Amino acid sequence: EPEVTQTPSHQVTQMGQEVILRCVPISNHLYFYWYRQILGQKVEFLVSFYNNEISEKSEIFDDQFSVERPDGSNFTLKIRSTKLEDSAMYFCASSHNRGAYEQYFGPGTRLTVT
Amino acid sequence: EDQVTQSPEALRLQEGESSSLNCSYTVSGLRGLFWYRQDPGKGPEFLFTLYSAGEEKEKERLKATLTKKESFLHITAPKPEDSATYLCAVQAADTGNQFYFGTGTSLTVIP
């Protein structure tokens, strides 16, 4: 069964460093998303991406964040200068279509900023 | 303003003891309500999509129902492997594709 994959599973970085989180969405899906979950809190939407551009983003997704689909399979989230409060689980998700379609989530990358 | 509220926060059941989890939502123009299961340290796993009031979906011991203001996830004769956090998410017509998640209900089923 197709699934979303994410690498690395755990990333430790120092404050101020840049990190890139990688995702491979399900192959025939067209819409891609990033969410984050701070420990003990709810899953929060960051950004959605379609046709090589951002379609929606939340207030959390400020200028420190960027997304890219560098090739036909990968989808990346870059944090330019990490802060302690960026420590969280980051989930990539994909859906086949826009609208009320289920999103399939990857296993997540645990980001720890020290 | 919370758009999705789940209750209870935690629930402990004996194996075989049926119960229901609640998800209340306040969005204008519900496009879809989604139930997910999340195991510790893992990503949410899709369970159900509900689109309109009165709709019901079933899968094994789980049954999801939807009204105009809330959804219930009924768990019939649960087993220890049903232990997980159950998340509810809504998608609203005026906010694009993003999902708004509740904080979840942590279910523990005791053998």
Side-chain angles (χ1 to χ4, degrees):
Chain A
E1 184 175 325
E3 58 184 19
V4 177
T5 59
Q6 292 186 242
T7 54
S9 57
H10 190 190
Q11 175 89 48
V12 181
T13 189
Q14 289 190 329
M15 196 167 49
Q17 296 296 304
E18 174 183 289
V19 294
I20 297 176
L21 311 182
R22 291 183 167 80
C23 167
V24 178
I26 294 172
S27 62
N28 64 345
H29 284 188
L30 302 175
Y31 292 83
F32 315 119
Y33 313 86
W34 284 101
Y35 290 80
R36 79 172 185 189
Q37 186 176 31
I38 296 170
L39 188 63
Q41 296 186 25
K42 64 176 65 176
V43 176
E44 300 174 289
F45 170 78
L46 294 178
V47 66
S48 63
F49 190 86
Y50 169 70
N51 200 25
N52 280 321
E53 60 182 25
I54 291 173
S55 49
E56 293 141 337
K57 61 182 180 179
S58 71
E59 294 177 352
I60 304 168
F61 194 89
D62 60 23
D63 293 342
Q64 296 292 336
F65 293 89
S66 63
V67 290
E68 191 178 37
R69 186 154 165 85
D71 53 44
S73 59
N74 289 283
F75 179 50
T76 63
L77 174 69
K78 181 192 290 185
I79 310 175
R80 267 181 264 284
S81 177
T82 50
K83 298 176 274 201
L84 294 176
E85 54 265 36
D86 293 327
S87 294
M89 280 287 280
Y90 287 80
F91 295 110
C92 174
S94 68
S95 65
H96 181 66
N97 212 331
R98 198 179 190 281
Y101 288 88
E102 52 269 18
Q103 297 176 12
Y104 291 89
F105 285 74
T109 293
R110 179 173 300 282
L111 176 66
T112 303
V113 182
T114 61
Chain B
E1 179 185 348
D2 283 339
Q3 296 182 301
V4 184
T5 304
Q6 291 187 249
S7 62
E9 288 186 11
L11 182 62
R12 288 171 66 89
L13 298 174
Q14 292 289 331
E15 184 172 1
E17 179 187 1
S18 301
S19 189
S20 297
L21 314 182
N22 177 263
C23 171
S24 300
Y25 62 91
T26 54
V27 295
S28 56
L30 179 73
R31 186 179 273 170
L33 186 141
F34 304 82
W35 282 98
Y36 286 84
R37 170 190 170 127
Q38 187 176 30
D39 292 297
K42 302 288 180 62
E45 175 188 344
F46 170 72
L47 294 173
F48 302 111
T49 307
L50 300 166
Y51 295 105
S52 56
E55 190 175 0
E56 298 183 354
K57 294 271 180 76
E58 275 190 78
K59 179 179 177 181
E60 296 180 351
R61 295 178 292 283
L62 299 177
K63 179 178 169 181
T65 62
L66 181 65
T67 72
K68 288 187 177 179
K69 293 185 178 180
E70 59 191 349
S71 176
F72 293 93
L73 184 66
H74 307 278
I75 303 177
T76 301
K79 298 181 178 181
E81 52 261 43
D82 295 322
S83 298
T85 296
Y86 290 85
L87 302 175
C88 169
V90 299
Q91 192 181 53
D94 58 354
T95 52
N97 278 11
Q98 63 182 282
F99 280 11
Y100 293 95
F101 279 88
T103 50
T105 293
S106 175
L107 174 66
T108 303
V109 181
I110 305 160

